[in-house]
Amino acid sequence: MTESYYKPEDLLKFSSIGDDAPELWKKFNEWYGEVFKEGALTEREKALIALAVATAEQCPYCIDAFTKTCLEKGSNTEQMTEAIHVASAIKGGATLIHGVQMRNAAKKVEL
Amino acid sequence: MASNGEISGLEALAIEPFDERLKCEVGLYPLKASAPSTLQVDLGSFCNLKCRHCHVSAGPDRTDKVMTRSTMESCLEAVAGNASISTIDITGGAPEMHPDFKWFVAEAVKVAKKVMVRTNLTLMNNKAACDDIGEFLAARKVELVASLPYYRREETDRMRGEGVFKAVMESMKYLNSIGYGMDGSGLKLNLVYNPTGAFMAPSQSAIEADFRRELTRREGVSFNNLFVITNMPIGRFFDFLVESDNLMPYMERLASAFNPDSVEGLMCRTTLSVASDGTLYDCDFNRVLGLKSLLPDSTTDATIESFDGDTLDGRDILTAQHCYGCTAGAGSSCAGETT
């Protein structure tokens, strides 16, 4: 297994997902474009959120793309690292809080 | 520094020719110059710094090109004799290191409505190197344009050298204390932002707001405006792009962001660049690449010694692949965005 499952050139094939569902692809693109426009949040803030989600979701394409976008919006690596810590804290917290389910389940069967 | 290598290196990439985009998408090929309103004068590539993004590859070892006083006099004569030129924009290297810098500035303010000096700022508070230069420039209302890649030490020093950020902040505090960058003083201190790598710049207004907030909060320093300039794929930055395998992706990024609306305000249409040997170029970037201004019906080089504003008005501007650097996104010039 020397070949990578995620190939950089595959990103250029993203639009092929619209081949069998062109209307849905068109709507996705329009919506995606609108989402990242400046609104109540700045484009720089939205890019930081996107980077945090990308790392949490571990999407290599999104990590590469939004790392560059964050830099192009004027963020620095200190801010980007903090954003990733936020994602990491939520992932960690979300894991840990499921410990309550474990405790509930254990309590139900333990003497 | 091998300009031919840069031109051919850029042309060899599978990127649509810039001139075709000008022709088909803008309808302004060949690009025409109007009468110059700014004379950008390169005093030489000698500099105390060796910044990694420097498009002129300036540095302490660049003693090969230094403008003579005679050429400086020709610049002054050209401005005095041409009403269209209102601004002298003095650049380098570090122009304040030129032995005739003060003389040239003192004479320039007599013939030009506006005189600006592009400085790396590190010498502005260095009494040993440049004596009373801040007060000298302030007394003559000279506008300062200072490169500062980022509002943090980490990014700035990575790009410009260890200790540069600290020296720049000390100079800014000193310049602020004598009125530069302060509201109502009439002394302008403008900053220049360059991306700290192989990526495009943010919007000028957004990054200016970030710089103002962070430089005030972290360092307690003030400035007037911030200009965003795209890193040009020439000089030392070209070397970085090649060595880091970023040349093709960077050029693709610039070409994909080509903005037809940016062409109207390109600086080459109103600015003329004078090399240290007196040769005229359409812009500072063409100067580095050795692409000399074309005079209609002439086989001789255009020089400041034989300056003729009427002949230069309406000339064809030489364009090539590096011009994508000035037309990407919101456009880029020595005065920031062009749109």
Side-chain angles (χ1 to χ4, degrees):
Chain A
M1 279 280 289
T2 53
E3 196 180 340
S4 171
Y5 183 71
Y6 295 107
K7 301 177 185 70
E9 59 269 27
D10 281 352
L11 181 59
L12 300 174
K13 301 175 190 164
F14 191 15
S15 61
S16 68
I17 206 71
D19 286 354
D20 291 316
E23 274 307 305
L24 292 176
W25 174 245
K26 184 167 168 277
K27 284 179 176 170
F28 170 78
N29 272 320
E30 288 167 354
W31 170 72
Y32 192 94
E34 282 298 314
V35 162
F36 285 98
K37 283 183 184 165
E38 179 138 350
L41 296 176
T42 64
E43 290 183 353
R44 191 173 72 80
E45 289 164 339
K46 289 183 177 184
L48 284 167
I49 294 170
L51 177 67
V53 175
T55 52
E57 290 295 321
Q58 297 176 357
C59 169
Y61 303 111
C62 302
I63 292 170
D64 282 0
F66 281 101
T67 294
K68 203 169 269 189
T69 303
C70 283
L71 291 169
E72 290 191 339
K73 298 299 176 193
S75 288
N76 57 58
T77 50
E78 182 184 32
Q79 294 162 335
M80 291 151 70
T81 304
E82 280 190 17
I84 290 170
H85 271 289
V86 171
S88 184
I90 294 298
K91 288 279 271 191
T95 303
L96 205 52
I97 199 166
H98 281 79
V100 175
Q101 268 65 47
M102 173 276 287
R103 297 186 72 80
N104 289 345
K107 200 171 178 181
K108 186 174 170 63
V109 294
E110 278 180 336
L111 286 171
Chain B
M1 285 199 293
S3 55
N4 286 339
E6 292 157 19
I7 294 170
S8 58
L10 294 173
E11 282 177 352
L13 302 173
I15 295 203
E16 190 175 353
F18 179 80
D19 291 350
E20 285 299 313
R21 307 283 296 269
L22 268 188
K23 211 177 293 179
C24 303
E25 295 177 40
V26 193
L28 284 176
Y29 181 83
L31 200 57
K32 296 279 185 188
S34 50
S37 59
T38 297
L39 199 69
Q40 191 170 59
V41 182
D42 164 42
L43 297 193
S45 302
F46 188 56
C47 188
N48 58 319
L49 303 182
K50 208 168 178 175
C51 301
R52 296 176 69 197
H53 67 299
C54 184
H55 71 275
V56 303
S57 304
D61 55 338
R62 295 299 308 277
T63 52
D64 51 320
K65 291 177 179 174
V66 179
M67 185 173 277
T68 63
R69 188 179 279 221
S70 164
T71 303
M72 289 173 162
E73 284 168 346
S74 297
C75 291
L76 297 167
E77 284 164 19
V79 176
N82 285 272
S84 72
I85 305 176
S86 59
T87 301
I88 296 180
D89 180 347
I90 304 172
T91 187
E96 59 268 53
M97 293 179 81
H98 191 290
D100 288 330
F101 173 73
K102 279 189 177 175
W103 171 82
F104 185 55
V105 169
E107 295 302 313
V109 296
K110 294 176 190 168
V111 296
K113 287 195 186 107
K114 181 165 133 184
V115 174
M116 48 207 286
V117 170
R118 296 188 182 272
T119 169
N120 65 40
L121 278 187
T122 59
L123 298 172
M124 283 288 159
N125 194 35
N126 186 331
K127 299 283 182 198
C130 283
D131 197 16
D132 61 342
I133 197 156
E135 286 90 345
F136 172 85
L137 295 168
R140 287 155 185 81
K141 302 278 184 196
V142 172
E143 182 175 318
L144 297 179
V145 183
S147 172
L148 182 63
Y150 206 66
Y151 55 75
R152 288 205 316 159
R153 179 187 61 77
E154 290 83 347
E155 286 79 7
T156 300
D157 284 3
R158 195 176 71 227
M159 205 151 149
R160 313 192 65 195
E162 197 65 34
V164 169
F165 183 79
K166 185 167 176 283
V168 169
M169 288 306 113
E170 284 169 2
S171 285
M172 283 186 73
K173 281 173 191 164
Y174 158 66
L175 290 169
N176 285 167
S177 77
I178 61 171
Y180 267 110
M182 308 303 283
D183 285 341
S185 71
L187 294 173
K188 284 207 169 169
L189 172 57
N190 295 324
L191 300 180
V192 169
Y193 165 92
N194 286 91
T196 56
F199 49 88
M200 280 181 54
S203 94
Q204 191 160 281
S205 58
I207 196 69
E208 182 184 80
D210 288 349
F211 265 61
R212 202 177 300 287
R213 183 187 66 246
E214 294 301 319
L215 285 177
T216 303
R217 183 174 73 85
R218 293 164 184 249
E219 308 292 338
V221 294
S222 300
F223 63 95
N224 295 102
N225 301 109
L226 180 136
F227 304 139
V228 160
I229 302 185
T230 302
N231 284 322
M232 191 57 62
I234 61 174
R236 208 169 278 138
F237 188 67
F238 177 85
D239 296 339
F240 159 75
L241 292 173
V242 172
E243 287 160 14
S244 61
D245 276 336
N246 275 304
L247 182 59
M248 184 62 181
Y250 186 67
M251 289 307 295
E252 280 178 327
R253 180 77 182 100
L254 295 184
S256 70
F258 176 75
N259 178 4
D261 293 338
S262 69
V263 175
E264 189 69 37
L266 288 178
M267 66 176 174
C268 52
R269 309 190 77 188
T270 53
T271 298
L272 202 57
S273 173
V274 189
S276 54
D277 66 357
T279 308
L280 300 180
Y281 295 85
D282 297 324
C283 71
D284 202 41
F285 309 121
N286 280 7
R287 175 175 69 77
V288 172
L289 295 172
L291 300 171
K292 297 171 184 174
S293 288
L294 291 174
L295 289 177
D297 305 323
S298 174
T299 52
T300 57
D301 291 343
T303 66
I304 196 66
E305 286 80 10
S306 58
F307 184 88
D308 178 356
D310 292 337
T311 311
L312 291 161
D313 189 0
R315 74 185 185 282
D316 291 354
I317 294 170
L318 281 174
T319 47
Q321 294 302 78
H322 66 288
C323 300
Y324 276 121
C326 286
T327 54
S332 175
S333 75
C334 288
E337 294 178 346
T338 66
T339 53

